[in-house]
Amino acid sequence: QVQLVESGGGLVQPGGSLRLSCAVSGISFTTKSMAWYRQAPGKERELVAYISSGWIKNYADSVKGRFTISGDNNKNIVYLQMNSLKPEDTAVYYCHVEASYPPIWGQGTQVTVSS
């Protein structure tokens, strides 16, 4: 059974940084395409960052240059390093196995950017 467990969220001031972790069990994340999504109150869930099984990375325009997706093969963890955080980055962040059926999501971790 595949499980995703996110951690690392919290409250941070504008301009600050956080690193989110997605601990993957049941599969090796390197055999899948993985992604981070986020959902703010009253908004649709949106793709933030994506890493393919071939380590090709892609980012939403709103986070390019500020966020970095990466992975640790040995620990089977996918990370999202978030720098220069803005209030509009406030959301619940979810880890996802792309093209999974049924869809595989983590429980989410709350990120709040506020002074």
Side-chain angles (χ1 to χ4, degrees), residues 96-97 99-105:
H96 179 55
V97 179
S100 55
Y101 187 81
I104 301 171
W105 294 92

Side-chain angles (χ1 to χ4, degrees), residues 6 22 28-29 40 42-43 45 48 51 54 68 81 92 108-109 114:
E6 301 98 332
C22 172
S28 171
F29 82 84
K43 293 190 176 182
R45 191 170 296 190
V48 175
I51 183 167
T68 302
Q81 178 66 44
V92 178
T109 185
S114 175

Side-chain angles (χ1 to χ4, degrees), residues 51-70:
I51 183 167
S52 74
S53 56
W55 295 86
I56 295 172
K57 303 175 184 180
N58 203 4
Y59 300 91
D61 287 344
S62 59
V63 307
K64 277 181 183 175
R66 300 188 298 122
F67 290 13
T68 302
I69 189 169
S70 64

